[in-house]
């Protein structure tokens, strides 16, 4: 009499997703250095930036809003890619996928756990910049918080995605120059995108960080929510969801 192994569950399940998120949060609770990196480093960088431009508050106002979105994106990318890779290399991911857990459950659970920390991170960074460091924004600080949170979630999604292609934590860090640095150079932070070479401008138009910076600038300049802000936030959120889907599709049980 033959027996068959049940196929792993594929449909996204709320209970499995929340169980994964709870497990990841429990693990992170015992890793204070990782929590400090995710929650405090963006605040520290904004604090340093404010006093680097101590004699030119106008300069801090012009770039502080953009960096308020970029810093969380970078830190969430680093922490998420390394943490997810550690799950795979330690064999935890393989054991979970042998149970009734689908790839979508795991990716959604990781995203929910790191997204919870992203909310805390973005709220602290936005509050520090606006109410303590005096970042002068024309629009609502809540809109600033929204785009900062979406940027952090985008960093989480990118980290989950690239972790599938890294064989070690060192390799995960090496993806940063390939994935983050080009976006940082082309997002319009250093020079307006329409002043770039046409090829680079066209390339910047398909990079999500460009819309993150554009969204921050919309809040910086306009009192009300503009159509451009809605477009920018929709693109950033859509990119995050797309990359999460790609992360689920490329998730492997173990590092070869």
């Amino acid at each position: 009499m033959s027996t068959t192994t049940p196929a792993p569950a594929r449909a996204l399940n709320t209970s499995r997703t929340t169980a994964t998120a709870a497990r990841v949060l429990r693990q992170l609770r015992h890793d204070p250095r990782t929590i400090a990196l995710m929650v405090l480093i963006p605040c520290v960088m904004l604090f340093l930036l404010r006093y680097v431009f101590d004699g030119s508050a106008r300069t801090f106002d012009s770039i502080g809003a953009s960096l308020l979105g970029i810093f969380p994106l970078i830190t969430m990318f680093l922490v998420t890619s390394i943490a997810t890779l550690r799950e795979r290399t330690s064999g935890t991911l393989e054991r979970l996928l042998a149970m009734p857990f689908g790839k979508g459950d795991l990716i959604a659970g990781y995203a929910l756990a790191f997204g919870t920390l992203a909310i805390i991170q973005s709220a602290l960074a936005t509050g520090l910049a606006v109410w303590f460091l005096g970042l002068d924004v024309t629009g609502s600080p809540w809109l600033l918080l929204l785009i900062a949170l979406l940027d952090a979630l985008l960093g989480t999604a990118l980290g989950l995605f690239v972790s599938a292609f890294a064989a070690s934590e060192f390799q995960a860090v090496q993806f940063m120059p390939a994935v983050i640095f080009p976006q940082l150079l082309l997002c319009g932070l250093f020079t307006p995108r329409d002043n770039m070479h046409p090829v680079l401008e066209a390339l910047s138009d398909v990079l999500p960080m460009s819309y993150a910076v554009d969204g921050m600038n919309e809040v910086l300049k306009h009192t009300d929510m503009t159509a451009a802000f809605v477009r920018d936030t929709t693109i950033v959120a859509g990119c995050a969801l797309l990359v999460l889907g790609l992360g689920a599709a490329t998730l492997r049980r173990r590092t070869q």
Side-chain angles (χ1 to χ4, degrees):
M1 181 177 179
S2 62
T3 59
T4 57
T5 302
R10 296 182 181 275
L12 191 64
N13 181 279
T14 302
S15 62
R16 293 192 292 261
T17 297
T18 54
T20 300
R23 179 184 58 80
V24 174
L25 288 173
R26 283 195 301 270
Q27 291 177 338
L28 288 174
R29 186 181 61 183
H30 300 292
D31 189 355
R33 287 177 297 182
T34 299
I35 294 177
L37 176 63
M38 285 190 287
V39 175
L40 297 180
I41 290 301
C43 294
V44 172
M45 297 300 291
L46 285 169
F47 186 85
L48 290 175
L49 183 71
R50 169 63 182 86
Y51 290 102
V52 164
F53 296 109
D54 191 38
S56 178
R58 199 177 287 260
T59 302
F60 175 70
D61 291 337
S62 64
I63 67 172
S66 298
L67 291 176
L68 182 59
I70 291 174
F71 286 156
L73 189 155
I74 293 174
T75 56
M76 293 305 295
F77 172 83
L78 279 173
V79 172
T80 307
S81 60
I82 293 173
T84 308
L85 178 65
R86 192 176 299 167
E87 291 264 279
R88 193 169 72 247
T89 55
S90 66
T92 301
L93 185 59
E94 184 176 10
R95 291 192 296 270
L96 290 172
L97 287 176
M99 300 167 63
F101 278 84
K103 292 182 178 181
D105 298 323
L106 295 175
I107 288 293
Y110 292 145
L112 180 59
F114 288 112
T116 300
L117 291 173
I119 292 173
I120 300 172
Q121 178 195 70
S122 301
L124 286 175
T126 303
L128 175 71
V130 174
W131 288 295
F132 184 78
L133 299 179
L135 180 67
D136 185 16
V137 292
T138 302
S140 169
W142 294 106
L143 295 180
L144 207 64
L145 174 60
L146 173 61
I147 191 70
L149 175 58
L150 290 175
D151 293 341
L153 293 176
L154 175 62
T156 298
L158 290 171
L160 289 169
F161 176 64
V162 303
S163 68
F165 304 99
S168 66
E169 294 181 12
F170 179 67
Q171 286 187 7
V173 174
Q174 286 181 311
F175 273 103
M176 188 171 177
V179 176
I180 299 297
F181 286 179
Q183 295 192 67
L184 187 61
L185 292 173
L186 299 177
C187 69
L189 177 65
F190 301 105
T191 185
R193 289 193 289 129
D194 54 8
N195 289 346
M196 298 177 185
H197 187 280
V199 174
L200 295 182
E201 182 183 359
L203 180 59
S204 73
D205 288 340
V206 299
L207 297 176
M209 192 183 290
S210 300
Y211 298 96
V213 170
D214 288 349
M216 287 293 190
N217 288 332
E218 286 295 308
V219 180
L220 193 67
K221 299 174 183 177
H222 302 281
T223 56
D224 300 320
M225 183 186 298
T226 64
F229 176 84
V230 174
R231 178 205 64 194
D232 295 334
T233 54
T234 301
I235 290 174
V236 173
C239 288
L241 292 174
L242 174 62
V243 175
L244 282 176
L246 292 174
T250 56
L251 187 66
R252 293 177 294 151
R253 294 191 175 198
R254 64 169 64 184
T255 303
Q256 302 296 329

